[in-house]
Amino acid sequence: MRMTWLGHSAVHLETAGKSVLIDPFFTGNPKHPKGWEDGLERVDAIVVTHGHEDHTGDTVRLAQKYGATLFAQYEICMWMNGQGVEKVQPMNTGGTVEEGGLAFSMVPAFHSAGIMRDGEPRSMGDPAGFVITGSEGAVYHAGDTCLFSDMKLIQRLYQPKVGFLPVGDRFTMNPSHAAIACNELLELELVVPVHWGTFDLLTGDPRVLEKEVRRGRVHIAEPGVPFEL
Ligand code: NI
Ligand code: MN
């Protein structure tokens, strides 16, 4: 299983012979290695955790370019289908969809998910996290969320070995909250902090996570540099 952090919450996952992009926010993401997303051999699936633009990002363009299937909440799928994403797998919290040897499970996240259009807020469905399970194990991408005790249920249901957890504070958990998730709720082998350092508003320091996690190995990833489980 090979993973690459692409700045903010964007992740590329290669597992079980498949290529998956999660929250592909590249345009306007200052930490993203320029053009990286256009050099891929293929993308089978794009997973979007919620409707905020720092997560939906370049989904439409990349889904079209690679012919990838979009996995997201119903509202996001329908909206992007209207913008030209042909293959969509609309789903909702609690559900699992299998495609091409991977299982995509949508799990809760505590956050908002609306966007502003013409000065008015518009619903984009609920925020979510995802667990992606293949023959090499399961990966949990928490999306944007606070700490919540039902992360324990996510562990029980899907046994993720890898977790991408937001630590930037203000809009999500801070690093100490994420450390509590690792120490008390999840049983991750590898913990990767995301949603930090992109903008000045995100003040959470991943080194605090590294210091406080007692269960699992913390990897502070470099954007564009792949790592393995
Ligand atoms: Ni958000
Ligand atoms: Mn966000």
Side-chain angles (χ1 to χ4, degrees):
M1 188 187 297
R2 196 170 131 107
M3 294 153 278
T4 310
W5 182 50
L6 299 163
H8 207 55
S9 281
V11 172
H12 182 236
L13 173 65
E14 290 168 280
T15 187
K18 296 289 166 185
S19 165
V20 180
L21 281 172
I22 308 170
D23 285 354
F25 166 53
F26 301 134
T27 305
N29 172 355
K31 291 291 161 75
H32 156 251
K34 279 245 168 318
W36 193 94
E37 72 279 11
D38 284 313
L40 291 166
E41 237 168 68
R42 54 181 236 271
V43 178
D44 301 295
I46 298 177
V47 171
V48 172
T49 59
H50 64 292
H52 288 156
E53 281 143 340
D54 58 321
H55 298 260
T56 55
D58 300 76
T59 297
V60 173
R61 184 178 76 80
L62 294 173
Q64 289 178 333
K65 173 176 172 138
Y66 289 107
T69 306
L70 171 64
F71 293 78
Q73 282 249 322
Y74 174 83
E75 288 83 351
I76 295 172
C77 282
M78 291 303 112
W79 187 56
M80 294 200 167
N81 185 240
Q83 294 181 56
V85 177
E86 270 177 37
K87 293 192 265 176
V88 294
Q89 288 279 20
M91 50 192 301
N92 217 311
T93 322
T96 293
V97 174
E98 287 180 35
E99 187 175 288
L102 294 179
F104 300 82
S105 303
M106 185 180 278
V107 299
F110 285 79
H111 191 64
S112 67
I115 54 168
M116 297 300 292
R117 275 291 173 273
D118 307 320
E120 297 286 337
R122 184 176 295 183
S123 167
M124 291 288 280
D126 286 336
F130 270 89
V131 180
I132 300 163
T133 308
S135 56
E136 298 168 312
V139 174
Y140 172 38
H141 190 298
D144 282 359
T145 188
C146 66
L147 176 63
F148 57 97
S149 59
D150 281 354
M151 284 181 181
K152 201 168 186 115
L153 275 178
I154 294 172
Q155 185 66 44
R156 178 180 163 198
L157 292 175
Y158 306 110
Q159 295 94 44
K161 292 190 208 170
V162 180
F164 290 90
L165 304 179
V167 301
D169 208 341
R170 184 180 284 257
F171 301 109
T172 69
M173 296 195 276
N174 70 29
S176 297
H177 299 165
I180 290 171
C182 297
N183 295 337
E184 301 179 25
L185 304 167
L186 299 165
E187 291 165 41
L188 303 170
E189 290 173 30
L190 181 64
V191 183
V192 184
V194 298
H195 214 271
W196 64 271
T198 328
F199 309 110
D200 290 345
L201 285 174
L202 304 181
T203 55
D205 182 344
R207 287 168 301 184
V208 174
L209 177 78
E210 196 172 42
K211 209 170 81 198
E212 295 183 5
V213 166
R214 297 186 307 275
R215 183 159 71 175
R217 174 169 65 87
V218 175
H219 177 62
I220 300 177
E222 192 69 42
V225 179
F227 52 94
E228 309 217 346
L229 175 60

